[in-house]
Amino acid sequence: MLKTKQTHQQGVAMLIFMVLVVMLILGTAGWFLAPRGDAPAPESAEESLPAITVWQSPTCGCCGDWVAHLEENGFTVQTLLRHNVPMIKYRLGLPPDMASCHTAMVEGYIIEGHVPAADIKRLLTEQPFARGLAVPGMPVGSPGMEMDGRVDDYAVLLFDADGETQVFNRYP
């Protein structure tokens, strides 16, 4: 009986010790993970914009103009020059009727064609259950397709994995 009581007390002491060790570990982790007042906060929402990867043909001038539009609107862009951009569209599962000249990815969304930066920002804010945004074709007046102030009517389409679409925005 004495041995059982002593074993029980040792077990309780060990349990208390383990609880204290765990509390110490969690407290230390919390201190290391806590936000610091000395860390600079982003100056604007644009500083926290995710990077966009763009696949484009090396010979496409309007693609470069669209990339410049994104950069002017606060995005960091990684441009990948490829001769096989249609194969990239296929591998990403882009519905063929959504196609344009360049393809991009941001936060898991496909961005196809001359989609305005404001619509990409809205997409990232709202995070709809969709595959991405597209401006099929190359409408005059869309970002990267500016021509003497002319702007054709065009729609930015939100599309899903089955190719179903809905109008996300209209221009002009």
Side-chain angles (χ1 to χ4, degrees):
M1 176 84 173
L2 183 61
K3 184 148 181 122
T4 306
K5 187 174 182 181
Q6 187 178 16
T7 305
H8 178 72
Q9 288 175 343
Q10 288 174 340
V12 170
M14 181 58 79
L15 180 61
I16 292 171
F17 175 75
M18 295 294 285
V19 168
L20 290 173
V21 168
V22 169
M23 289 175 59
L24 178 65
I25 291 170
L26 291 175
T28 303
W31 185 83
F32 279 110
L33 298 175
R36 302 281 180 248
D38 56 348
E43 291 180 20
S44 71
E46 288 186 356
E47 285 187 26
S48 63
L49 291 173
I52 296 180
T53 300
V54 177
W55 291 272
Q56 71 174 68
S57 167
T59 59
C60 185
C62 68
C63 296
D65 292 343
W66 183 71
V67 166
H69 164 76
L70 294 179
E71 292 172 337
E72 290 165 4
N73 283 277
F75 285 99
T76 300
V77 181
Q78 176 188 20
T79 303
L80 303 172
L81 302 177
R82 300 288 189 268
H83 292 286
N84 63 343
V85 177
M87 179 58 75
I88 292 163
K89 296 174 192 302
Y90 174 77
R91 287 182 180 162
L92 292 174
L94 180 75
D97 57 340
M98 296 289 108
S100 183
C101 56
H102 54 265
T103 302
M105 285 291 292
V106 60
E107 295 287 302
Y109 289 108
I110 298 171
I111 307 297
E112 179 66 16
H114 296 270
V115 177
D119 291 317
I120 299 170
K121 290 176 183 179
R122 178 179 156 208
L123 175 78
L124 295 172
T125 299
E126 294 178 7
Q127 297 185 358
F129 186 75
R131 196 67 190 103
L133 293 177
V135 173
M138 299 168 66
V140 174
S142 61
M145 290 296 297
E146 294 87 356
M147 293 183 188
D148 300 324
R150 186 178 130 208
V151 179
D152 293 347
D153 292 338
Y154 69 95
V156 176
L157 303 176
L158 181 73
F159 63 93
D160 66 16
D162 296 325
E164 297 293 320
T165 64
Q166 66 184 39
V167 174
F168 192 73
N169 206 351
R170 288 195 185 277
Y171 292 89

